[in-house]
Amino acid sequence: MAHSQRCNEDDAPLSGRGPTHDSVRAVRSRRSGRVRHAAIIAICALALHALGCEKLLTTKPDPGERLDTPLPGLDNGELGDFQAGHTQFRKAFTIAEGLGPIFNNVSCASCHSGDGRGRPENTLTRFSRGTDLALDIGGPQIQDRAIPGAEAERLQAGVDVSHRMPPPVFGVGLIEAIPDSVILSHEDPGDSDADGISGRVNWVTPAAYVPATELGGGTGPRVGRFGRKAQVSSLLQQTVEAYHQDIGMTSSYRPVENVNPVAAHDPPGLDGAEDPELSDREVESVMQYMRMLAPPAAGALTAARTRGETLFGDAGCVRCHVPTMHTGAHDIETLSDRDVLLYSDLLLHDLGDALADNRPDGSADGHEWRTAPLWGLRVAREFLNGQLFLLHDGRARSVDEAIRLHGGEATAARDAYLALPAADRAALVDFTESR
């Protein structure tokens, strides 16, 4: 059987243009026609949520302490969309519904713990032969599970491998709303100011099914901003590819099943579900949900953290982990024209040999990574059994360890941190982990 062309959140597909999806444009206009119904759903759902909290806790948890709360300022229709997407995000698929034939997990929530960082057991394996996505042997991602009768994939010899933790999904709407011009203003690919930092945009070609009406869509190169190497420019593409590659669910955007091209035999009847297995509305519901997820609130600035913030700047960390970016216009009003405490420039940087995966993605080489946003760290341990899993593959279990592994363009900042007295290093770490 011919192997369908494959991609994931880190790799733009190469297939020809698919069908036109007016429903992408209509997802927001549908909202206005459902406001009354959505308001009832939202009010009932939030009331039940509050009732459940009161039964379990002496006080309701503050929204800033969670990883699955909506952005403040959403209207009733948007809250209804949020609740619908919340349910879809957690839906565990069965074989009868289309799971597989090869896959990594059964739901979106299975990989993204509490909508936050993943765990090591959910690490995804990407591979290629240089810039060749190795489609003929199952690239660019290994699906290590399979339904009965199908064969899970196994890594082949002689390929470039990259292990990557599932990224947080909160705050992605804010990242989407940052204009290209703001990101480009931080670029310095030739290090013209001679500060040793040469961040650059990963220009990517959107999947053919992403229309120009979607931010990051349309023809021509677009600013990549999602994924560990900023290889994805739109939330629609990230959502579609995660369903297709990670869960094995087809949609009108990716209607052909993903199968193991080197299996000894094809799975009989594949998964038994009629393709496409997801409606456009289900895909777009999850996309809208992620778009409206709020990042957790940062912790209070104590005297020690204020000292740590100053040291964070003095050490040069802010040259890549830019504290604030500003959003532009967006269809969701609460995403528009606001400061975002992101602590990232969303650019590619060479982080040295210790962190290199030697696998290119788009124009990103094997030493480059997108600057990771520093938010949600304060509450992450609560959702990960008291642990942190930092960097692209989760190898660092603390901010201190993550800093020590930085090299390349971050060498000067790392060395400045290591030269600090122990108390100052602790203050800098405390500030960072309070974000």
Side-chain angles (χ1 to χ4, degrees):
M1 175 180 289
H3 184 230
S4 62
Q5 196 159 31
R6 305 146 54 105
C7 66
N8 55 35
E9 66 185 82
D10 288 331
D11 299 279
L14 305 177
S15 58
R17 179 165 298 277
T20 299
H21 291 279
D22 293 335
S23 58
V24 177
R25 295 187 292 273
V27 69
R28 300 181 186 98
S29 62
R30 285 200 306 266
R31 185 173 62 234
S32 62
R34 305 196 311 269
V35 168
R36 181 175 301 173
H37 179 64
I40 294 171
I41 293 174
I43 292 168
C44 292
L46 293 174
L48 288 171
H49 178 69
L51 179 61
C53 290
E54 288 170 357
K55 287 183 177 181
L56 296 173
L57 305 171
T58 55
T59 58
K60 289 189 294 184
D62 184 89
E65 304 298 311
R66 298 172 58 90
L67 301 174
D68 61 352
T69 56
L71 289 161
L74 297 176
D75 63 33
N76 286 334
E78 290 163 344
L79 284 172
D81 287 345
F82 180 88
Q83 291 297 333
H86 184 275
T87 299
Q88 181 68 19
F89 188 85
R90 281 156 178 72
K91 178 178 174 58
F93 290 92
T94 65
I95 296 172
E97 293 171 315
L99 176 69
I102 56 175
F103 62 101
N104 297 111
N105 226 315
V106 299
S107 70
C108 303
S110 298
C111 285
H112 301 277
S113 305
D115 301 324
R117 301 171 183 277
R119 297 183 57 81
E121 58 265 31
N122 294 328
T123 297
L124 299 173
T125 300
R126 318 273 199 243
F127 70 98
S128 62
R129 303 183 192 96
T131 57
D132 174 10
L133 298 183
L135 303 178
D136 60 313
I137 55 172
Q141 177 176 304
I142 286 290
Q143 281 77 38
D144 56 4
R145 301 170 70 181
I147 65 174
E151 294 181 33
E153 294 178 324
R154 297 292 180 264
L155 197 62
Q156 305 292 308
V159 295
D160 302 314
V161 180
S162 182
H163 301 291
R164 301 186 188 176
M165 295 275 288
V169 296
F170 56 74
V172 295
L174 293 166
I175 292 175
E176 177 189 54
I178 296 169
D180 291 355
S181 59
V182 173
I183 299 173
L184 288 166
S185 71
H186 295 283
E187 256 200 323
D188 186 16
D191 192 17
S192 60
D193 58 5
D195 67 351
I197 307 297
S198 54
R200 66 185 185 89
V201 160
N202 191 358
W203 290 100
V204 300
T205 301
Y209 56 72
V210 183
T213 50
E214 283 291 306
L215 291 172
T219 59
R222 294 290 182 267
V223 173
R225 61 187 70 204
F226 303 111
R228 297 294 185 180
K229 294 201 176 194
Q231 301 91 339
V232 180
S233 60
S234 79
L235 282 180
L236 177 63
Q237 181 173 337
Q238 185 161 349
T239 306
V240 168
E241 301 305 333
Y243 265 130
H244 188 260
Q245 292 287 291
D246 302 344
I247 309 178
M249 298 295 294
T250 59
S251 65
S252 66
Y253 304 102
R254 294 296 303 273
V256 179
E257 289 282 14
N258 186 25
V259 299
N260 184 348
V262 297
H265 57 83
D266 291 332
L270 297 176
D271 54 30
E274 183 178 355
D275 297 312
E277 295 151 345
L278 292 169
S279 69
D280 287 359
R281 190 166 186 172
E282 288 172 310
V283 172
E284 293 155 12
S285 178
V286 168
M287 176 180 68
Q288 286 292 86
Y289 168 69
M290 294 192 299
R291 196 170 258 151
M292 294 185 282
L293 268 174
L301 273 179
T302 62
R305 288 172 182 168
T306 299
R307 171 67 175 156
E309 182 178 24
T310 299
L311 294 166
F312 187 87
D314 291 345
C317 304
V318 294
R319 289 176 183 153
C320 298
H321 291 282
V322 176
T324 305
M325 305 274 266
H326 197 80
T327 66
H330 197 283
D331 286 347
I332 299 174
E333 185 176 353
T334 193
L335 292 173
S336 298
D337 192 27
R338 57 178 289 179
D339 287 333
V340 183
L341 291 174
L342 185 62
Y343 286 90
S344 172
D345 57 9
L346 301 176
L347 299 175
L348 295 173
H349 294 277
D350 183 336
L351 294 184
D353 292 339
L355 294 180
D357 67 351
N358 300 311
R359 178 182 181 266
D361 274 306
S363 67
D365 67 32
H367 282 71
E368 291 178 306
W369 299 96
R370 185 198 69 164
T371 304
L374 300 180
W375 53 11
L377 294 180
R378 183 179 62 85
V379 299
R381 284 191 174 92
E382 298 178 26
F383 296 88
L384 297 171
N385 294 328
Q387 301 182 75
L388 276 182
F389 305 104
L390 303 178
L391 302 176
H392 64 278
D393 55 5
R395 74 179 75 173
R397 303 306 170 91
S398 68
V399 168
D400 174 78
E401 187 178 355
I403 294 173
R404 291 173 184 271
L405 287 167
H406 278 52
E409 296 174 43
T411 299
R414 177 201 65 197
D415 291 348
Y417 167 78
L418 295 176
L420 293 172
D424 283 350
R425 290 200 304 272
L428 188 153
V429 168
D430 181 47
F431 164 72
T432 305
E433 292 195 0
S434 72
R435 299 300 86 201

